[in-house]
Amino acid sequence: MGWSGWIQLFLLAGLGRAGLGKHRANASHYPYEDLISETVAYCYTALVRDSGCCLDQKYGKGVRKKTVRRPGVGWLCDKACYDDTKGYRGDDLLWIPEGASCESPRLLWIHGGSWEYGSPDTLSYGQLASKIAELSGAIVMVPDFPLTPVGDYHVIMQALLDALRWLAETPLNPELHCPSGSAPLLVGGDSAGGGTALSLIMVLKHGAGWIPEGVAITEPETLLQQAQILAGGVFFSPWTNLKCDTPDYYYNAFAKIVDKKAFKDPSSGIAYVGDLMFRGHPEENLDEFTANAKSYIGSNVDLLTDPIASPFWSTEQELGGGGIPPLLFAVGGSESILGDSMIVAQKAAFYGASVHVDVHVGMWHDFPMYSEGCGSGYALWQAALALNRTATFIQKVASRKLTATRLGLVWPPSSSTPGTPKTRYIYDVTRPGAEKHLGKTDRASWSEVAIAWGTTWETTEIQT
């Protein structure tokens, strides 16, 4: 089926064919087929049918997979555990790209799944981590933290702190004899894992990082220079508001549009808008999300608005005064937790952090995990762009962290100058009507340029 077929099946079925009566002559004024690309139309159609479908299947090239069993880390996913992977759990996965060295950045990726589902190599997290490792050259670790109800916020946070310390201090390549704490260290995550990653950043900020083994601190003022401070943070569609009451729960609620006046056959005039992944009524979504959040916090309702456990509620005390590394957010413009990214990003930038936010118009929750186009046979360029932007961001902040370390400078900067996020609204350049606005006739060339754009950053974009 060609692109027009998928679009008609999903968004436009019957337009100009269903008998528009006296309005039929004006059908050409509504070129809806120009608004959405073949790949996006395919993904929409598939995800409306089954929101659990279509995650990426391919692993990154030239990346070695290594299973890690850290002593004392195992946990049991029993009958009370919601995830399908039962039994002994706790083995982490490392993805090590070819040519990795002692100075290669190391990224701790915290998987999503409402803190109830997922593991390092299910739900496409192995594919995601390996692709980030391939593109960025970073060693990526995905820990298998205790899911709720086995774990809660405090248990999970401690498990992730332990995993991060292990990642920072383990040689990984014994033949290189990497010194403890020598590699730039980042944290990242998606969905629920993205919110927890932000919590982890603030916990580390308040503790001024940690002192790697073998490093002696004689003067308190040298703590920040010697401590292992994060180089950066990356987030895909992070869930940061455990109160679940940001406005986008309403504005981006999933909806089916049927124009009975314009279409003689309403079933042929259906369009879907909003969050393809969470399709309940706004109040239903709020109730379900809040139930997940309460399981995560162990039913301690005070933590729903705790500024660290629920980063949406963070203040100058948590974000100001320096110590927050550069942050990159990639979020879908149609998802119900869009505000969870936008408002936190605005706060962090206002209190002095270097923040980048990419809003991909029309994209859904966790869209970077659909870079293969939902099985359409064509890449979803928005997802490919997000992965490239992520990889280049990792490389740039890691390089700046290494430079600061060599010069004896504090990283991230300890100053706190109010600012705003560097925000980009990214529209689909491969849609059929794009050439009308872009002045190009070859949409494929635009998608190639757009994906390549993810590999470039202006030198002034990341504060030093």
Side-chain angles (χ1 to χ4, degrees):
M1 183 182 294
W3 68 265
S4 60
W6 283 113
I7 295 169
Q8 288 172 356
L9 174 64
F10 168 65
L11 187 61
L12 314 165
L15 184 60
R17 296 184 294 101
L20 300 185
K22 65 180 180 180
H23 298 294
R24 183 180 177 88
N26 295 326
S28 61
H29 294 299
Y30 301 95
Y32 293 112
E33 293 182 355
D34 287 353
L35 302 182
I36 186 169
S37 72
E38 176 185 6
T39 307
V40 173
Y42 186 100
C43 287
Y44 267 50
T45 302
L47 290 169
V48 166
R49 290 172 174 169
D50 177 11
S51 62
C53 80
C54 310
L55 289 162
D56 284 352
Q57 300 297 310
K58 299 177 182 177
Y59 291 87
K61 298 178 181 178
V63 181
R64 177 165 56 93
K65 175 182 175 181
K66 180 178 180 180
T67 301
V68 175
R69 177 166 292 187
R70 291 177 284 132
V73 174
W75 60 280
L76 181 65
C77 183
D78 56 17
K79 291 189 296 184
C81 182
Y82 298 108
D83 195 56
D84 291 335
T85 306
K86 303 294 187 183
Y88 173 86
R89 298 282 297 271
D91 289 353
D92 313 312
L93 283 188
L94 280 175
W95 298 94
I96 304 174
E98 292 179 352
S101 70
C102 291
E103 291 192 343
S104 296
R106 300 183 182 187
L107 169 66
L108 183 81
W109 190 268
I110 305 170
H111 71 76
S114 302
W115 304 286
E116 294 180 345
Y117 303 96
S119 76
D121 206 11
T122 59
L123 302 181
S124 198
Y125 284 108
Q127 288 86 335
L128 175 65
S130 65
K131 288 178 178 179
I132 293 175
E134 176 196 4
L135 293 169
S136 68
I139 297 168
V140 182
M141 176 180 181
V142 187
D144 191 19
F145 58 85
L147 301 172
T148 63
V150 178
D152 58 17
Y153 163 71
H154 296 291
V155 171
I156 292 171
M157 187 58 59
Q158 187 58 55
L160 294 174
L161 282 167
D162 292 342
L164 191 63
R165 178 182 287 275
W166 183 92
L167 181 61
E169 297 182 353
T170 300
L172 294 184
N173 292 300
E175 67 277 9
L176 298 176
H177 305 291
C178 298
S180 177
S182 62
L185 192 63
L186 299 94
V187 299
D190 67 285
S191 193
T196 300
L198 272 169
S199 299
L200 186 60
I201 286 175
M202 289 188 285
V203 167
L204 289 171
K205 172 187 184 297
H206 280 264
W210 67 79
I211 309 303
E213 293 179 359
V215 175
I217 298 298
T218 56
E219 300 293 335
E221 59 268 22
T222 66
L223 176 61
L224 282 175
Q225 285 90 339
Q226 299 297 321
Q228 177 74 343
I229 304 297
L230 294 173
V234 181
F235 316 95
F236 295 164
S237 304
W239 180 4
T240 70
N241 180 13
L242 299 183
K243 198 81 163 85
C244 308
D245 59 359
T246 37
D248 299 278
Y249 275 89
Y250 180 88
Y251 294 129
N252 283 350
F254 180 77
K256 179 174 71 173
I257 301 173
V258 180
D259 189 340
K260 294 183 178 180
K261 293 182 179 179
F263 297 97
K264 288 184 177 180
D265 177 10
S267 65
S268 66
I270 295 174
Y272 297 96
V273 295
D275 196 325
L276 300 173
M277 295 297 172
F278 307 107
R279 303 181 192 167
H281 185 281
E283 291 182 356
E284 180 185 354
N285 285 343
L286 188 152
D287 290 342
E288 291 182 359
F289 278 45
T290 303
N292 283 147
K294 287 182 178 179
S295 177
Y296 173 55
I297 60 176
S299 297
N300 180 357
V301 294
D302 290 340
L303 290 180
L304 291 177
T305 55
D306 180 85
I308 292 181
S310 187
F312 180 88
W313 302 90
S314 56
T315 66
E316 182 178 9
Q317 181 176 349
E318 291 76 37
L319 296 173
I324 297 293
L327 309 175
L328 172 64
F329 294 80
V331 62
S334 295
E335 57 177 301
S336 57
I337 60 172
L338 173 62
D340 285 43
S341 290
M342 300 304 297
I343 293 175
V344 168
Q346 290 171 13
K347 284 186 178 184
F350 181 77
Y351 292 123
S354 175
V355 183
H356 299 261
V357 184
D358 289 350
V359 182
H360 288 257
V361 175
M363 290 294 101
W364 49 91
H365 185 71
D366 250 350
F367 72 93
M369 300 183 72
Y370 299 81
S371 67
E372 295 161 20
C374 310
S376 66
Y378 299 93
L380 181 66
W381 76 264
Q382 294 93 332
L385 172 60
L387 293 176
N388 275 344
R389 290 271 289 174
T390 295
T392 307
F393 176 84
I394 290 171
Q395 293 168 351
K396 294 297 183 183
V397 297
S399 174
R400 284 161 171 75
K401 174 66 166 69
L402 286 172
T403 299
T405 300
R406 293 187 183 111
L407 296 177
L409 302 175
V410 173
W411 179 274
S414 57
S415 61
S416 182
T417 303
T420 56
K422 295 177 176 64
T423 305
R424 289 179 169 86
Y425 282 83
I426 301 169
Y427 285 84
D428 189 353
V429 296
T430 64
R431 57 192 170 82
E435 69 271 12
K436 299 176 184 177
H437 306 130
L438 300 172
K440 295 285 185 179
T441 57
D442 182 4
R443 296 190 305 273
S445 66
W446 271 97
S447 65
E448 291 173 2
V449 170
I451 293 172
W453 169 59
T455 65
T456 61
W457 289 78
E458 295 178 10
T459 55
T460 58
E461 282 194 339
I462 301 173
Q463 298 171 9
T464 56

